Amino acid sequence: MEILPLYRQVYHLHKKAGNVRKQSFEEIWENSDVFKTLRNRDKLEGKCHICDYRYECGGKRCSVFAKTGSITQEDAGCWFNKQQLKKPLVFEEVGCEYCSRKPQLVCQLCGSLICDDHVFYCPICKESLCHPDARDCFFKHSC
């Protein structure tokens, strides 16, 4: 039995959104007040409401609900300070780990972004790996 460290506490959203015996999952997903609220990030309160990252982050709604009983309260555990909440999002152009071409895959062993020229597929399990000419992921890989 694996014992999880204290910092790795997992929360689940224990809030009823519907009943799949009476409605389809799609109907619950589209029409439930719970899911509508979770999708509408403008309903978040406190610093989550003013944060420019709210559409990407959402503020750990499950842990907020477990601690406050509300799915819209601010995430008190957020480490952003007031200056960081209004920072513009900057997205980097990311290229292949070995050249500047657009990456198509991820090496299943080391996690590197790789293009078609730098990928090698395992002949047994078909996982995408860094090409042996670039890195030794293929030789370290085991099926």
Side-chain angles (χ1 to χ4, degrees):
M1 183 171 116
E2 180 184 351
I3 298 174
L4 296 176
L6 291 175
Y7 64 85
R8 203 171 156 200
Q9 189 171 11
V10 177
Y11 293 98
H12 302 281
L13 185 61
H14 295 285
K15 185 158 179 70
K16 187 174 180 176
N19 185 339
V20 292
R21 293 180 184 188
K22 295 180 181 175
Q23 302 166 279
S24 71
F25 178 77
E26 181 181 6
E27 188 178 350
I28 294 169
W29 179 261
E30 293 296 327
N31 301 321
S32 164
D33 289 336
V34 173
F35 288 121
K36 284 181 182 179
T37 302
L38 289 171
R39 283 191 294 268
N40 187 352
R41 303 291 171 86
D42 293 326
K43 288 188 175 184
L44 298 178
E45 301 172 31
K47 66 181 180 180
C48 290
H49 180 73
I50 63 166
C51 181
D52 282 343
Y53 299 107
R54 71 182 174 274
Y55 299 107
E56 289 78 21
C57 169
K60 297 190 321 186
R61 296 295 100 204
C62 294
S63 64
V64 167
F65 181 76
K67 293 174 184 174
T68 68
S70 168
I71 57 174
T72 58
Q73 288 286 322
E74 75 176 32
D75 178 11
C78 179
W79 57 85
F80 283 139
N81 61 37
K82 288 186 181 186
Q83 291 79 27
Q84 292 171 316
L85 293 176
K86 288 294 184 181
K87 244 185 194 175
L89 291 173
V90 177
F91 294 100
E92 271 181 48
E93 280 289 322
V94 180
C96 173
E97 184 81 17
Y98 308 103
C99 66
S100 60
R101 290 185 55 208
K102 183 177 179 182
Q104 303 294 324
L105 302 158
V106 174
C107 175
Q108 299 297 312
L109 186 69
C110 72
S112 295
L113 297 171
I114 46 181
C115 66
D116 290 334
D117 290 341
H118 292 106
V119 68
F120 187 82
Y121 295 98
C122 175
I124 299 167
C125 69
K126 309 296 185 217
E127 284 193 350
S128 56
L129 303 161
C130 292
H131 195 279
D133 291 343
R135 189 177 274 171
D136 62 347
C137 292
F138 174 71
F139 300 108
K140 291 179 180 175
H141 166 73
S142 62
C143 300

